[in-house]
Each structure stands twice: as structure tokens, then as C-alpha cells.
């Protein structure tokens, strides 16, 4: 097939060609594949009496026919930016010829249709169908430049570098009738694997994981013999409903009073799922008829078909207006019953122009009770009434049901996508956040508004709001019954208790979200503030919830109710955020005579709507306006912040370690440079702005009315309906209606009847302005806007509204985005290959002639633009149309949005600074991740991976605020009538271990300890020890030392804007650093056979500003202090003594050398009685009588704590058979007498041969004389 023409949406004059060829292929090549597939059937063979038997694959192969097919789709032509000039002046030298390969692949297929054969001994297939297909296809479309001679511009062999991926599928429907133990059953063996080459095995052990993939291998069977099981499964599946209010329980909603009406924002899934209960009743009725009349009872596939029919019939209400409820039927995800015959009907092609893999066709309807020739039993009354008055606001987006027996369990898996078409009082919901403005004190200080004091309540009657919204939910759940193949005929005799212990429900993928965008203009009267005029304001907020991981199986004997199980068993996570920007129709002039005039913005934001905290309400400024009018005040602000960081890092907190020399701290590494951030941010915005201006006027208008999806919060993109029906704003619908009415003024277009319009009618006559189902007219929109030439071509069939909501992505913008990818070190230079220019100015790979296309690299773009912390945690639903809103959530650059940009971008700078220092802790939820704690360092984030059962609905989102040790913020406030803009950076590191910075300390410490070796050896020699060298000892001690730093640092640069002047300042709010080196775990080193070493070390250094906050000019006002103590103890076998060597310095920063002190500690238990007598003497100490008679006012002497603590310690040592040395005794007394007025010291002086305990008591008494 061939089509050609001008495609304005693609900016091309092009010819599109699709080629398909087939020829016969030797089917003997399939023998190994056939054997592999049937090997997977092993666990289920016992069900039809073929346990351990080998399948007759040869008979299958004899019945098969095979072909090899070749598919190719390409486009060629010229790129055009101004179509009018091309047709009036011809193609000039600037035009760019191109060749694009859309699809290229080859497939081999083996097919069996309606074959009769013996598949196992004694098991005959009648009318069986089978398909096996395998081949390769290009991984993504290829586009290259073409020379005037028709060759590829850079290399005639460039096509050989295209990447290919394997594709293949297997499908089978093999009906068999078998008799086991006198019971005859009609079964159907079914295979379905839509991707033979994915990473999941064809028959994995986990049912839940298998059902989320594209594989299915199962056996269909009559349900009447096991009606007791089927009835229970359908009861639980039909009881599913999604009530966010019930799941979340009592919650706060950031002062917006939405908790009680939370369910109103989400679709009611039970309206559709209730049909499963109708099917349950009808199956029971059909099985009763089958037992009485002998008719063939329904198969499980019939049950699936009946469920689909019930749900689809509810969604298709004939009495409702044309096009009211058919969105789901347009999408390929909805299939009617899977037929057991003729399942391989050919299709014409998929959205990439390739020949589609064979798919099941729509079957005849399932046998229903109403189809029976007569009814012996009264059919149960229908409890579910169709809503013929069209009051239901739910739209069915998609439905999928699969089921069968896989050899270990019977299962039914339901996936349902539903959207809400209307929400009552949505305008009032949009205005709720604006009611909070009456609490914003800065609005009063601006003194721009009048008559505020006279208003008791806020009034919004003059506000106009153009609202779009999306409210959707996805329900994925599985019910099943565990049973082995040889147990199948035993099911009818099982008790209810046995069934309940095997039947289960499993929650696979459930989520819901509401998101809305309103463009607001008009006047609002705010109580206590006055009349505020706003224009082109945007109100965006979203909230939702979902399960993080597939739940465990929940057995029926554990369930009290399905709704309660849904609340308790899955791991739920909720998200909610708000971003509102209100441009005020007023201006403020700053700096007398400087000409700086700014229009302030009101910003209302909340990163978590499910919190008691009210949203943040603050003033904001248009950054583009501020730069244009304010001599780049923000650049000056960031420059001063940079200077402050550099001053600290170069002149700041280096420690004077006394004997250890000069020691560098953490803050010496953090000279971060903020200077280039403003140019990077505004450069990217200007690239987008210039690109948008190249769009035609209609496209620009539509872009400005697009729904904002809040893509800066990736979870919002992931949750909810997989195919949401977005309710676009009235103004956007009007623009679309106008375009369609103009493009299709008659009932036909190019001789073809216009789809979805009654015969003989025009689009404008069928639908009133703005009132038409957009989702049903996407091909029409593609044609009307020039993206496609006809309703049936590939561009039209695959068209989505996203294409209207994205920029052109011209060369300048493409290079801007590509540069961010090239500068990402974690992409390992993968995009450096785009080093040349195409004829139209786009980045080009000169080797492959590939032109850089944004849409092909969205994961890498998300990672490089800091929307995701790594390539493994990007949002799969992120689209090219989300790029602008992710970068500029307020639709234009503001100071606040620039601050958000810095919070992400600065992480790369901090990462470089952390090299060799420490790993910072990250405070984000780790539910659903393979790690319990997340850190951030020179190697990036330690996020691990998603857990095996993670639904990937909640990708981790990280900025500097989530990193525990760091913080950055832009602050805009009104202070005494002046506008204050401040940028601040904060470091708060506690207990970090910067190995490179502190390695010199460890070396110095080991050396200084070794200096005491001579004294140590001389003490040991007096005890006859063979200890001669301290090298091994002090090496062991140094290896045990833990080094850590604490650092607190907060620098702020600000600019104050007043009517009179503009003034800058830079100050340090906090500056402090501590260094600590300790041995945290006791250890014992044996040097020689009789010598055992224990050690303790503590080094402390501190630097702290004496007067915070202070200006950078007074940085020298710092107080340095520090101390050091190291004690090494030596115990000798068979000798009740312990040698100790102490090296110390109480004023380390002022010392040149360490002081050393040697002592001997002995075992006190042999002299316990003498020591106890001494303790009793101590407790009896008092003033002499002559003194107390003269000076009765003296304070009491009370040393009883010394006696009790010491004697208790000795008694416990005897009772516990532990040693009692002088050191440990003194320690016990210090603990027992925890008073600053009592100083205890002592030890054994081996020179004097004396044991001393010294007590210094300082005591006082206050008297009223």
C-alpha cells in the first residue's frame, strides 16, 4: 500500500510505503519449538488422564502449514517548515530530504486450523487450532538524511547498524473429550504467549507473576462439575470495589475539607463488577438446567464471555446520546469472548504499519439462560438494573479477563479500567484552595488591595474557570483454587471448609487518581484582604492511591469481607500534591529611579495533600520578567551565595590539631558553584519558548489549554486507569470542534464516509459546539491537524492527544536536551555519537545516519533532567508532552520553580563534592525497593531495584530536601512592606566518616601512640614479659579507630527590594564542625602467649562561630577547642594485675606534644576485706566536734554513695566471677556518684607500691542569715 501528500503535523512532504510478502517455509524447523511448548503442559496433563505421557508432536507438525513472511514500512520525502514557500517558490537548497524506516522484520509461522489428531495416547483433539510464530523486527524506527543522489548522507552501509529485537508468539486451542474414572469431560488445552522472548518463563512457579506477563498456558473445562468452587470465586470477584475513603480511613486533606467526599472524585468500579454476581447467579441456573435436561454446560471460557458481556452491556446504553459510552470499544485491549475455534483471523496491521501478530477474533455470544429452548427452573431475578436514564458518570476504558487451569490451580484474573465523566461541584472544589488566601499575612503587607476589612467572607462570583480533569481507576485482581490435576474429579465431594482453605484472592494491580487543571481569571474578594484581580491563573492538583506490590494469596478461610481484605493485606501508598499560580493584576515599583517594576504572583503549593498541614501560600515572581527588568538580580544573588560557599571552603574550618598538625574538615570540600544554574534554567526555557513559537496559531492555542499532568510527580503519571478518558476543558473542546467542523464540512472526506457520524450527516450537524466524544474522534483530529492523510493510515490510527500537547522539538531544543544527556556521566557517553548535523539542523549520528528523536530516548531524558534518580526508576508513562510541564510546572519560569530546579540539579554538584568524604542518608520510603536504607554519595544513589512483585507505580522521587544532610531553598517574603528574596544552602552532617579527609589523622594517631612505645616496653619488662616491639600493637589499635565528623553550616544570600532602594547581603546563620575519633568496640589482641591488649581512644576537635548569624566579613570569629585521650591496657596471664598507658592532651589545639602517664592496675578481690574497711571509714568521715560546735552552718559531708557503689561492685564481681580492677572500681563509683561536685581518681603507683583512691568533694550550703 502507498500513500503520499503534505503532512503539516509531521512537517513533511512524504511518500509512505507498506510491503508484505509471504512464501512457504520448511516446517521441520519447528520441531524443537513444538516439543518445548508442550513440555510446559506437564503439570496439567493429569487432568485429562495423560500424566507422564509424551505428546504426539509429529502428528501436530504433519497437520501444520508454514510460511515465512517479510514486512517493510518506510517513508521518504523532504522536511518542510513553510509549506507555502515550497509550493510557491519550489524546494530550495535548505530543504532536507530524508528516509525513515518505520518497520522491517521477518517472521516464520507454523499454523494448524481445525485439525483432528491424537495429541496423547487415548486423548483426541477435534477441531484444534495452533500457531507458532517467531522472527525479528527493528527495535525502533530509523531515520536518516538522504543526498541529492538518493544515497544515505553519511554512509551507504548505515542500515547495517540498525538494532533488531526478536518477536514471537504461541497460541493454541485444542478441544479434547476424556473419560476419567467414569466421568466424561470436554476440555480445551490453551496456549497463549504474546511474547516468546520476554524475560518471564512460559510457566513460572508464581501464578501472580505469570498473570502479569503476556504468557498463559491453561486448560479450559466445564464448570458445572465444580460449581461449588466457581460460585465462590465469582462471589469474591464480584464483591470487589474501590473506596479510597474506606482504605485510607480518617485522613486530613491539607485544610481543603475533602476527606468526607473523597470517593466522589473516583469512578465507582462496582457498577461494572456487580455484573459478575449476575453471571454467578446465571451460571448456577445454567448448571441446574444442564443437570436436568442434559444440555452441555458452560466452559470456563463461557463464564469469561458472560462476564465481558455483562460489563460491556452496562457500558453501552442505547438510550444515551450518540457516542456517549463507547470509549472502551475503540481500544484494542477489549476483546469479546476468546473462541475455541478459528482463533487466528488475520488483521490488516498495527500502529507501526507492520503486519500484526495473529489475534483472536470476536466469537459468537456465550450461551445464556435466555437462549435455552425452555426453562424448567425459574431464573433468579436480576438485581442489577441498567441505568437507562444516563445518570451514570462512569466510562469503561478497558477490560481484560483471562482464566483456566494451569496444572496447579484454577484461576480467573480481571483487569478493569474505568474513568469518571463528570464530577459534581468541581468548580467549588477548584476554589477551595483560594479560600485560604484570607490567612496570607503577606497580602496585607503588600498594601495593594482595597476594602478588605469590610468583607466577612470571601466571594468568588466573578471568577471564571475553564476546567479539565481526569478521574480514573485500575482494578487488577485474581481469584483461584489450588488443585492438582488428579484431584480435579474430587472437587464435587470436597467440603466447604476444604474449598475455603484452597480458594484465594490476590490483589495484583489496583490504583486510582484524580487530577485537574483549571485556568482561572477574574476578580475575587478575599476576606480581610480586599479585591484581587487575577488573569491566566492555573490551579492544578492531584491525589490518588495504589498498591505498591502484588499481594500474597489471601485464602477464603482468612477473609471476613473482600473490602476489609483489600484494606488490610496489600501495601498501600497515597500521593497528593497541589501547584497553584495566581498572577495578580497589579504591579510594584522597587528602587526609586531604577525602573524595576514587577507583577507579583501568589503561589499555593503542597507536596502532600494528605496531611494536616495547610498548603504553603507565598509570593512568587516571574523570573523572565525579573531578569528583564531587574539587571539579573537572581544571578547576583546566586553569585553571592557561591562566594559565601567559596569563602567557607577556602578560609574556613581547618582544624589545628596540635601534635596532629593541620586537619581538613568537611566544609573545606563544599565550594559549590551556583553561577551557571540561572543561565542553564533560562536557556532551556528560552529553547522551549522559541520552539513553541514555530507552531501555527491553532496549535499554540491548544498547547496553552492543555491539561497539566503534574509530571514532576512521577507517581501521578503511573497510577489510575491505564487508558484514561480525559475530560478536556470546554474552551479546548470548542477549539477542537471548530477545527473538525472546518475540516469535514460534508458527510464524506476524500470520497470516504466519515466514521462515527450518522450517514448523510456532517460533524457540525451531529454534535453541538464543544460537545463531542474526543476519544472517538482521534483519527479525525489527526487528519484535521495534518498528522495523517486519511482516517485509516497508521498516523491516524495511533494518534493521541499528546501530539497536540507537545512542542515541535526543533533543532535548538533537541540540542539543548541532548546536551544534558551528554553531560550525564552515568550514561557513559552513549549519546556522544550524535556529533554531526543533519541537513535540517538536527543532531545526527554520522555512522548510522540516525537523527536524534526525543521520543526514542524518554527514559534517558528523564534521568538526565533529574526527573528520576536513575535510569532504572523512570516513569514508564512519561511522554514527550510531559517534558515542558515537568521543567516548568507553572507554564513559565518563576523564582519558586527555579528553586525546585536547583534542588534537583544541585545533587550532581554535591555528588562530586562527596568524593572521598561520606555517603549521605536519603529520607524517602523504601517500600517496594530491595534496600532498607538509601544513601547518596559519589557513586550516586543506593536505591537497589524494585522488588520482584513491585507494580512500579511509585518510582522514588528525590531532590536535595530528601537528602538528610543537605538543604536548599529560595525564600520570597514580604517584610515591613519590602520584598525579600533569599537563597540559602545548608549542610547538617552528623557522624559521617570522610575517609580521605581523615586518613591523615589515623596515620598521625598511630604514629603518636607508637611514640609511647619505649615507656610501654619498660613497664612490661618489670613483669618479666617477652614483649619487645609495639609496632604490631599500635597497628592493631589504629585499625580499630572509627573516625567521624559533624558539621553544621547555613549560608544565605538575600536581596531586599523596597520602594526606596535595592540592597544585597550575605550572612552565615550557623557554622560549626566537630571531629571525633574513637574505638567504639572493645577488642583484645594477643601479642605473645601471656600478654593481652585492650585499648580505648577518643579524639575531639571542634570549631564553632561565636556569634551567629554574622556577616562573611567576620569569618575569623571562630572558637577552636579539642582534647585527646588514648588508654592501652595490658593483662598478663596468671598475674592479677593490668598495666595501663595513657596518652592525653586536655587542650589539644594549644599543645605541641602529648602527655603520657603509665600506671598498673591490680585485681582487688584478694584484698576485698581491706578495701571494704576503707570504704566504711570513708562513709564515717565528718567534721570534728569542735568545728561543728563553732560553725553549725557548714554543709553536711555525705560520701555514702562512694561506700555503697564500691562495695556493691566488689560483691557483684564475686557473684558473677568477673575481675575487679582499680580502673573498673573507680568507674563504678563514678557511675554511682554521678555528681559534678565529687571528683574521683586513683590507681596503683608501682614506684611507691601504693594503692590510692582520691576523693575531692566540693560542697556548699545556702542560708538566709
Amino acid at each position: 500500500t502507498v500513500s503520499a501528500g503534505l503532512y503539516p503535523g509531521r512537517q513533511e512532504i512524504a511518500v509512505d510505503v507498506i510491503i508484505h510478502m509471504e512464501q512457504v517455509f520448511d516446517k521441520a524447523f519447528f520441531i524443537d519449538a513444538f516439543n518445548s511448548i508442550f513440555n510446559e503442559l506437564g503439570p496439567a496433563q493429569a487432568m485429562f488422564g495423560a500424566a507422564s505421557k509424551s505428546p504426539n508432536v509429529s502428528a501436530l507438525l504433519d497437520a501444520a502449514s508454514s510460511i515465512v513472511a517479510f514486512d517493510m514500512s518506510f517513508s521518504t520525502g523532504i522536511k518542510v517548515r513553510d509549506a507555502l514557500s515550497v509550493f510557491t517558490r519550489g524546494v530550495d537548497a535548505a530543504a532536507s530530504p530524508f528516509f525513515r524506516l518505520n518497520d522491517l522484520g521477518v517472521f516464520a509461522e507454523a499454523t494448524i486450523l481445525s485439525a483432528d489428531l491424537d495429541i496423547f495416547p487415548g486423548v483426541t483433539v477435534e477441531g484444534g487450532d495452533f500457531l507458532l510464530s517467531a522472527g525479528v523486527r527493528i527495535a525502533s524506527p530509523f531515520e536518516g538524511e538522504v543526498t541529492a543522489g538518493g544515497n544515505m548522507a553519511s554512509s551507504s552501509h548505515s542500515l547495517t547498524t540498525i538494532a533488531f529485537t526478536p518477536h514471537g508468539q504461541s497460541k493454541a486451542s485444542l478441544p479434547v473429550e476424556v473419560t476419567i474414572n467414569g466421568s466424561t469431560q470436554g476440555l480445551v488445552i490453551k496456549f497463549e504467549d504474546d511474547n516468546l522472548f520476554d524475560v518471564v518463563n512460559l510457566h513460572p512457579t508464581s501464578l501472580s507473576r505469570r498473570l502479569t506477563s503476556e504468557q498463559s498456558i491453561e486448560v479450559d473445562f466445564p464448570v458445572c462439575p465444580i460449581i461449588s468452587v466457581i460460585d465462590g470465586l465469582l462471589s469474591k470477584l464480584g464483591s470487589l470495589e474501590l473506596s479510597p475513603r474506606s482504605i485510607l480511613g480518617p485522613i486530613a486533606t491539607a485544610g481543603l475539607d475533602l476527606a468526607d467526599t473523597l470517593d466522589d472524585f473516583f469512578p465507582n468500579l462496582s457498577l461494572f463488577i456487580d455484573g459478575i454476581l449476575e453471571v454467578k447467579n446465571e451460571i448456577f441456573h445454567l448448571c441446574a438446567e444442564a443437570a436436568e435436561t442434559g444440555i452441555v454446560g458452560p466452559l470456563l471460557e463461557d463464564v469469561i464471555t458472560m462476564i465481558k458481556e455483562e460489563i460491556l452491556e452496562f457500558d453501552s446504553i442505547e438510550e444515551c446520546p450518540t457516542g456517549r459510552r463507547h470509549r472502551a470499544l475503540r481500544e484494542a485491549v477489549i476483546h469479546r469472548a476468546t473462541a475455541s475455534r478459528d482463533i487466528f483471523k488475520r488483521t490488516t496491521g498495527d500502529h507501526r504499519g507492520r503486519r500484526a501478530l495473529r489475534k483472536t477474533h470476536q466469537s459468537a455470544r456465550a450461551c445464556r439462560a435466555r437462549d435455552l429452548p425452555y426453562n424448567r427452573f425459574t431464573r433468579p431475578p436480576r438485581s442489577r438494573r441498567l441505568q437507562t436514564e444516563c445518570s451514570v458518570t462512569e466510562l469503561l476504558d478497558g477490560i481484560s479477563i483471562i482464566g483456566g487451569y494451569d496444572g496447579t490451580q484454577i484461576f480467573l484474573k480481571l483487569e478493569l479500567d474505568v474513568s469518571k465523566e463528570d464530577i459534581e461541584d468541581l468548580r467549588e472544589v477548584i476554589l477551595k484552595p483560594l479560600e485560604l488566601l484570607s490567612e496570607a499575612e503577606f497580602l496585607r503587607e503588600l498594601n495593594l488591595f482595597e476594602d478588605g476589612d469590610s468583607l466577612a467572607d470571601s466571594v468568588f462570583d466573578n471568577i471564571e474557570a475553564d476546567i479539565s480533569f481526569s478521574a480514573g481507576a485500575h482494578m487488577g485482581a485474581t481469584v483461584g483454587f489450588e488443585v492438582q490435576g488428579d484431584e480435579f474429579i474430587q472437587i464435587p465431594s470436597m467440603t466447604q471448609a476444604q474449598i475455603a482453605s484452597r480458594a484465594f484472592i490476590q490483589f495484583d494491580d489496583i490504583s486510582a487518581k484524580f487530577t485537574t487543571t483549571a485556568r482561572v481569571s477574574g476578580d475575587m474578594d478575599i476576606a480581610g484582604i480586599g479585591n484581587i484581580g487575577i488573569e491566566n491563573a492555573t490551579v492544578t492538583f492531584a491525589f490518588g492511591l495504589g498498591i505498591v506490590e502484588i499481594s500474597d494469596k489471601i485464602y477464603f478461610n482468612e477473609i471476613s469481607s473482600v473490602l476489609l481484605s483489600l484494606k488490610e493485606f496489600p501495601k498501600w501508598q497515597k500521593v497528593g500534591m497541589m501547584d497553584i499560580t495566581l498572577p495578580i493584576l497589579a504591579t510594584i515599583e522597587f528602587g526609586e529611579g531604577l525602573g524595576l517594576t514587577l507583577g507579583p504572583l501568589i503561589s499555593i503549593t503542597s507536596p502532600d495533600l494528605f496531611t494536616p498541614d495547610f498548603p504553603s501560600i507565598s509570593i512568587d515572581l516571574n523570573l523572565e520578567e525579573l531578569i528583564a527588568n531587574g539587571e539579573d538580580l537572581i544571578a547576583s544573588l546566586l553569585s553571592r551565595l557561591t562566594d559565601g560557599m567559596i569563602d567557607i571552603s577556602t578560609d574556613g574550618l581547618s582544624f589545628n590539631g596540635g601534635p596532629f598538625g593541620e586537619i581538613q574538615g568537611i566544609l573545606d570540600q563544599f565550594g559549590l558553584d551556583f553561577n551557571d544554574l540561572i543561565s542553564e534554567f533560562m536557556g532551556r526555557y528560552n529553547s522551549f519558548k522559541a520552539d513553541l513559537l514555530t507552531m501555527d496559531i491553532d496549535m499554540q492555542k491548544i498547547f496553552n489549554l492543555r491539561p497539566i499532568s503534574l509530571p514532576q510527580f512521577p507517581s501521578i503519571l503511573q497510577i489510575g486507569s491505564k487508558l484514561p478518558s480525559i475530560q478536556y476543558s470546554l474552551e479546548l473542546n470548542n477549539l477542537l470542534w471548530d477545527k473538525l467542523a472546518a475540516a469535514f464540512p460534508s458527510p464524506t472526506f476524500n470520497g470516504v464516509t466519515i466514521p462515527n457520524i450518522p450517514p448523510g450527516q456532517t460533524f457540525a450537524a451531529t454534535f453541538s459546539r464543544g460537545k463531542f466524544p474526543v476519544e472517538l474522534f482521534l483519527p479525525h483530529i489527526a487528519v484535521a491537524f495534518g498528522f495523517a492523510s486519511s482516517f485509516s493510515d497508521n498516523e491516524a490510527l495511533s494518534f493521541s492527544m499528546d501530539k497536540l500537547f507537545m512542542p515541535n522539538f526543533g533543532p535548538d531544543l533537541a540540542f539543548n536536551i541532548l546536551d544534558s544527556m551528554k553531560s550525564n556521566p552515568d550514561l557513559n557517553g552513549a549519546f556522544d555519537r550524535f556529533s554531526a548535523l543533519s541537513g535540517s539542523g538536527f543532531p545526527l549520528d554520522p555512522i548510522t545516519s540516525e537523527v536524534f528523536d526525543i521520543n526514542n530516548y524518554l527514559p534517558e531524558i528523564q534521568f538526565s533532567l533529574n526527573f528520576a534518580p536513575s535510569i532504572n526508576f523512570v516513569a514508564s508513562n512519561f511522554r514527550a508532552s510531559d517534558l515542558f510541564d515537568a521543567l516548568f510546572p507553572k507554564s513559565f519560569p518563576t523564582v519558586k520553580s527555579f528553586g525546585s530546579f536547583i534542588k534537583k540539579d544541585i545533587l550532581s554538584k554535591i555528588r562530586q563534592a562527596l568524593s572521598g568524604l561520606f555517603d549521605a542518608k536519603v529520607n524517602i520510603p523504601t517500600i517496594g525497593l530491595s534496600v532498607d536504607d538509601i544513601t547518596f554519595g559519589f557513586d550516586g544513589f543506593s536505591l537497589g531495584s524494585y522488588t520482584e512483585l513491585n507494580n512500579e507505580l511509585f518510582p522514588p522521587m528525590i531532590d536535595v530536601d530528601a537528602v538528610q544532610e543537605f538543604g536548599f531553598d529560595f525564600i520570597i517574603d514580604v517584610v515591613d512592606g519590602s520584598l525579600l528574596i533569599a537563597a540559602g544552602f545548608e549542610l547538617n552532617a552528623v557522624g559521617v566518616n570522610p575517609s580521605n579527609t581523615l586518613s591523615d589523622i589515623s596515620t598521625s594517631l598511630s604514629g603518636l601512640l607508637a611514640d609511647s612505645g619505649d615507656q610501654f616496653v619498660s613497664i612490661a619488662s618489670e613483669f618479666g614479659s617477652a614483649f619487645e616491639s609495639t609496632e604490631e600493637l599500635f597497628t592493631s589499635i589504629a585499625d580499630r579507630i572509627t573516625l567521624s565528623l559533624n558539621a553544621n553550616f547555613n549560608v544565605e544570600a538575600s536581596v531586599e527590594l523596597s520602594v526606596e532602594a535595592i540592597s544585597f547581603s550575605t550572612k552565615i546563620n550557623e557554622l560549626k564542625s566537630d571531629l571525633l575519633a574513637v574505638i567504639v568496640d572493645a577488642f583484645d589482641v594477643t601479642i605473645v602467649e601471656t600478654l593481652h591488649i585492650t585499648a580505648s581512644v577518643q579524639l575531639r576537635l571542634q570549631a564553632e562561630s561565636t556569634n551567629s548569624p554574622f556577616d562573611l566579613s567576620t569569618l575569623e570569629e571562630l572558637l577552636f577547642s579539642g582534647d585527646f585521650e588514648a588508654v592501652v591496657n595490658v593483662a598478663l596471664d596468671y598475674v592479677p594485675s593490668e598495666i595501663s598507658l595513657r596518652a592525653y592532651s586536655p587542650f589539644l589545639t594549644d599543645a605541641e606534644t602529648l602527655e603520657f602517664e603509665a600506671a598498673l592496675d591490680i585485681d582487688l578481690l584478694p584484698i576485698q576485706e581491706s578495701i571494704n574497711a576503707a570504704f566504711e571509714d570513708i562513709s564515717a568521715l565528718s567534721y570534728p566536734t569542735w568545728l561543728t560546735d563553732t560553725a553549725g552552718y557548714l554543709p553536711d559531708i555525705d560520701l555514702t554513695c562512694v561506700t555503697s557503689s564500691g562495695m556493691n561492685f566488689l560483691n557483684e564481681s564475686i557473684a558473677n566471677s568477673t575481675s575487679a580492677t582499680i580502673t573498673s572500681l573507680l568507674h563504678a563509683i563514678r557511675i554511682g556518684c554521678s555528681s559534678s561536685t565529687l571528683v574521683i581518681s586513683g590507681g596503683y603507683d608501682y614506684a611507691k607500691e601504693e594503692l590510692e583512691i582520691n576523693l575531692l568533694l566540693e560542697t556548699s550550703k545556702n542560708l538566709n542569715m
Side-chain angles (χ1 to χ4, degrees), residues 1057-1109:
L1057 309 177
S1058 67
V1059 175
E1060 295 80 16
I1062 300 175
S1063 59
F1064 286 92
S1065 66
T1066 308
K1067 62 182 179 179
I1068 304 296
N1069 294 320
E1070 184 178 19
L1071 185 60
K1072 179 181 177 181
S1073 188
D1074 301 294
L1075 182 149
L1076 188 66
V1078 296
I1079 293 179
V1080 292
D1081 297 318
F1083 72 101
D1084 189 303
V1085 179
T1086 301
I1087 302 299
V1088 294
E1089 186 175 348
T1090 60
L1091 201 62
H1092 303 279
I1093 310 296
T1094 59
S1096 65
V1097 174
Q1098 177 168 313
L1099 166 67
R1100 184 190 66 84
L1101 286 170
Q1102 184 179 75
E1104 183 175 9
S1105 61
T1106 56
N1107 185 23
S1108 297

Side-chain angles (χ1 to χ4, degrees), residues 1111-1140:
D1111 189 84
L1112 278 175
S1113 61
T1114 59
L1115 186 61
E1116 65 276 5
E1117 294 184 9
L1118 295 175
L1119 177 64
F1120 290 88
S1121 62
D1123 53 65
F1124 172 77
E1125 181 177 47
V1127 178
V1128 180
N1129 298 314
V1130 182
L1132 294 92
D1133 290 340
Y1134 313 112
V1135 178
S1137 62
E1138 184 176 83
I1139 308 168
S1140 65

Side-chain angles (χ1 to χ4, degrees), residues 90-150:
V91 180
D92 57 21
S96 175
F98 75 94
F99 174 81
R100 180 171 57 250
L101 187 61
N102 300 311
D103 184 35
L104 179 65
V106 61
F107 285 82
E109 294 182 348
T111 308
I112 300 172
L113 296 175
S114 298
D116 298 335
L117 50 90
D118 292 333
I119 188 64
F120 290 99
V123 180
T124 300
V125 173
E126 296 182 358
D129 298 323
F130 186 91
L131 167 70
L132 177 62
S133 172
V136 294
R137 174 167 282 152
I138 58 173
S140 61
F142 163 87
E143 182 172 319
E145 293 289 313
V146 177
T147 66

Side-chain angles (χ1 to χ4, degrees), residues 432-485:
K432 278 182 178 291
L434 306 188
E435 296 174 0
L436 303 176
L437 293 176
S438 61
E439 305 297 325
E441 186 63 33
F442 74 88
L443 291 176
R444 295 180 178 86
E445 292 197 29
L446 281 177
N447 198 26
L448 293 175
F449 318 109
E450 298 179 354
D451 302 327
D453 295 336
S454 62
L455 297 171
D457 298 302
S458 298
V459 180
F460 301 95
D461 293 343
N462 295 325
I463 287 290
E464 295 181 358
D466 191 43
I467 305 172
S468 62
F469 75 91
S470 175
H474 176 81
M475 172 70 74
T478 301
V479 290
F481 180 78
E482 297 174 343
V483 59
Q484 299 300 316

